Each structure stands twice: as structure tokens, then as C-alpha cells.
Amino acid sequence: MKNKTFCAALFFVLFSAAALSETPPSADNGATQPAAPIRQDYRKKLQDRVFLMMAWEIADEMNLPTEKEDKFLTAMRDHFSQKSELVKEQVEALRLLKKNSGKTAAKNPAEIQAGLNKLDEIRERQQKLDNELNNRLKDILTAEQQAHFAVA
């Protein structure tokens, strides 16, 4: 049950930043207006809290000593913030790709290919980030703790 909760919370946090970053249409002319700064602050605080809850739960399950827990949380925080930025880029690339490949769009093969290339590049960067996290955790965690992290 904890694994499902963790996955659901991680999914929520990663995609909420991208999904909620869309600006709402204005009532008068259909143009978009920027989201309120208060809403952005609240979203950031919510993401931080969810991240800390997940990371602390994993750290507690692995019985990390204080110095390892600090290193672990720092590594996870760095990874999480970089991954969130990539998710925002991916959502934007998908939005542009959808715009250029929809039924009513003027289909420009060069723009569509550029969008696909951008998605490939983002996926490669995401894989690189995941590999960097794994390498960082090898220096922090024991083999048993790494296995527990991989399963969680």
C-alpha cells in the first residue's frame, strides 16, 4: 500500500506543476492572463511538503543515520527540482506538437519533426538525471538500502 501511495504522490507532484502552470483564459476576450503569484507560492509550498513527506518516509524505512539522511534528502531534492523542470518542458513540447499536428492545424512536417526531436532530447535528459541520481545514491546508501529505494 505504501508503494502505491508513494507512486501516486510522486505522479501528482511531478505533473501538477506542469498541468497547473497553464494560464486561465480571461472573461473578456479569451486571451490568457498569468496565474496569480499567490497561487504559484501555494503550489510551490504544496510540492515541497509532498516531496518532504515522501523522502522522509523512504529515509525512515531505510533506517538512515542523520548524516546519510541529510545527504539523501539533498540528492532527492536536487533530482526532484531538475525533474520538475523537465516535466514542464515536456508538457510544453507536447502542447506545441499537439497544436501542429491537430486536425485543424496547418501541418508543417518540419515543425512536427522538431517537436518529436525535442521530446526525444527531453527523454534523454530525464534518463541522464535518473542515472546521476543512482550514481549519487551509490555513494550514500548501502547495497541493501539501494535495493530498498529501487523497490520503493
Side-chain angles (χ1 to χ4, degrees), residues 4-115:
K4 289 181 182 178
T5 304
F6 174 74
C7 290
L10 182 61
F11 178 78
F12 169 76
V13 171
L14 288 176
F15 291 100
S16 67
L20 294 176
S21 66
E22 291 185 33
T23 54
S26 66
D28 34 300
N29 63 3
T32 59
Q33 53 186 332
I38 295 171
R39 187 174 173 193
Q40 294 289 346
D41 291 343
Y42 177 75
R43 186 177 306 129
K44 176 70 174 142
K45 286 179 184 178
L46 180 63
Q47 288 174 337
D48 290 343
R49 287 180 185 160
V50 171
F51 164 76
L52 285 174
M53 288 185 334
M54 292 183 313
W56 280 336
E57 183 177 334
I58 292 172
D60 286 344
E61 288 180 13
M62 291 188 293
N63 296 321
L64 295 178
T66 306
E67 68 276 353
K68 278 191 174 187
E69 185 173 329
D70 291 341
K71 291 178 183 178
F72 173 77
L73 290 175
T74 300
M76 291 298 295
R77 187 175 290 111
D78 293 346
H79 177 75
F80 182 75
S81 65
Q82 292 172 343
K83 194 91 166 189
S84 294
E85 290 302 316
L86 282 178
V87 168
K88 289 177 187 176
E89 287 182 39
Q90 187 175 28
V91 168
E92 184 60 31
L94 286 169
R95 188 176 296 131
L96 291 173
L97 191 61
K98 183 177 180 180
K99 178 182 168 185
N100 288 322
S101 63
K103 290 181 181 180
T104 60
K107 300 194 179 9
N108 183 342
E111 287 181 9
I112 293 172
Q113 189 59 51

Side-chain angles (χ1 to χ4, degrees), residues 124-138:
E124 288 174 10
R125 288 171 45 207
Q126 286 175 335
Q127 184 63 45
K128 183 179 176 187
L129 277 177
D130 291 341
N131 292 340
E132 288 172 1
L133 176 66
N134 286 334
N135 290 334
R136 242 177 124 176
L137 292 180
K138 286 178 184 177

